[in-house]
Amino acid sequence: MPVELVRADALSEQVPYAYAAVVGPGSLVFTAGACPLDDHGAVVAPGDVAGQAQRVMANLVTALAASGCTLADVAKSTVYVASHERADLVAAWQVVRAAFGDHDAPSTLLGAAALGYADQLVEVEAVAARS
């Protein structure tokens, strides 16, 4: 079964990758790491972990929707925070958990030395199941 790469029209075209990939019938959807980018590809809320996490989750929702999924379809997520401060990880986590609501799928939260864009502090990737 071929891999269908999804590029969400509602997200920035300034990134060099697809926002998600779908495989097989009853497919799994693998998202790229959702970044805190606005419609023009600029990082929003520099220095604000919670502000970036909010935009990241909005972008993740958009990428999932373009793939026929919602946050309720997510089977696993990974949350990256460019910080060694536990308070920054907790701030990002609180926003991510609030976005998922009662859907408490497995997730990994980790600190990273750096992320891909200048001023980027948060990134979230997910694997979802599309029925």
Side-chain angles (χ1 to χ4, degrees):
M1 189 111 251
V3 174
E4 172 192 349
L5 297 180
V6 178
R7 289 167 174 80
D9 293 336
L11 296 174
S12 174
E13 296 177 4
Q14 302 303 313
V15 298
Y17 49 80
Y19 283 100
V22 181
V23 294
S27 303
L28 291 179
V29 176
F30 299 85
T31 70
C35 298
L37 302 178
D38 66 15
D39 296 342
H40 305 289
V43 171
V44 302
D48 180 1
V49 170
Q52 286 194 11
Q54 289 172 349
R55 183 58 184 237
V56 162
M57 292 310 293
N59 288 347
L60 180 60
V61 166
T62 301
L64 286 168
S67 303
C69 294
T70 69
L71 289 176
D73 297 312
V74 170
K76 167 79 170 81
S77 65
T78 305
V79 181
Y80 302 92
V81 182
S83 176
H84 65 278
E85 297 293 331
R86 188 172 308 280
D88 291 336
L89 276 70
V90 170
W93 181 249
Q94 289 173 335
V95 173
V96 171
R97 284 303 315 133
F100 276 102
D102 291 337
H103 184 68
D104 58 350
S107 186
T108 300
L109 170 67
L110 37 101
L115 295 171
Y117 295 96
D119 297 322
Q120 181 184 358
L121 299 173
V122 181
E123 187 165 329
V124 177
E125 65 182 10
V127 177
R130 181 172 76 179
S131 54

